[in-house]
Amino acid sequence: AELAGHQGPVLCARLNASGEYALTAGQDRTIMLWNPRSEEASAGEREGARVYKRPLHAYAGHAQEVNGVAISADNARFASCGSDRLVGLWDVQEGRMVRKFPGHTQRV
């Protein structure tokens, strides 16, 4: 599958434990939530792979590229880390960063 919602390179992609949802993090400073099993988000196929152009949600809050994400076991929250030296804790339902962990001296 191709997830084509980011404006630039995707730096990290993670599936939740059941494989029902995916989070991607990009150089465009966003995190996107996807349902790779959804036909509604699909924009067809290219070279035999399904192409998805519509994420379920886009999260913004980093000042520089987002380098990684980790999903909680209950799928309610996820953590992100970026070149802005920030780790963020996000609430999926609320769609916002609920806690910031600054203080890193290098990109995370």
Side-chain angles (χ1 to χ4, degrees), residues 3-13 24-32 34 64-68:
L3 306 173
H6 285 280
Q7 301 298 310
V10 171
L11 304 176
C12 177
T24 55
Q27 192 175 44
D28 61 1
R29 304 181 317 227
T30 65
I31 302 155
M32 295 193 181
W34 304 86
Q64 293 182 21
E65 62 193 18
V66 185
N67 298 315

Side-chain angles (χ1 to χ4, degrees), residues 65-68 80-87 104 106-108:
E65 62 193 18
V66 185
N67 298 315
S80 63
C81 58
S83 292
D84 56 1
R85 303 183 312 243
L86 178 71
V87 173
H104 297 276
Q106 303 271 332
R107 67 185 213 138
V108 187

Side-chain angles (χ1 to χ4, degrees), residues 37-59:
R37 297 180 182 173
S38 170
E39 294 294 323
E40 296 170 9
S42 176
E45 290 193 12
R46 180 173 37 220
E47 298 176 10
R50 189 169 301 258
V51 177
Y52 295 90
K53 294 197 180 265
R54 267 193 326 197
L56 297 173
H57 192 81
Y59 302 88

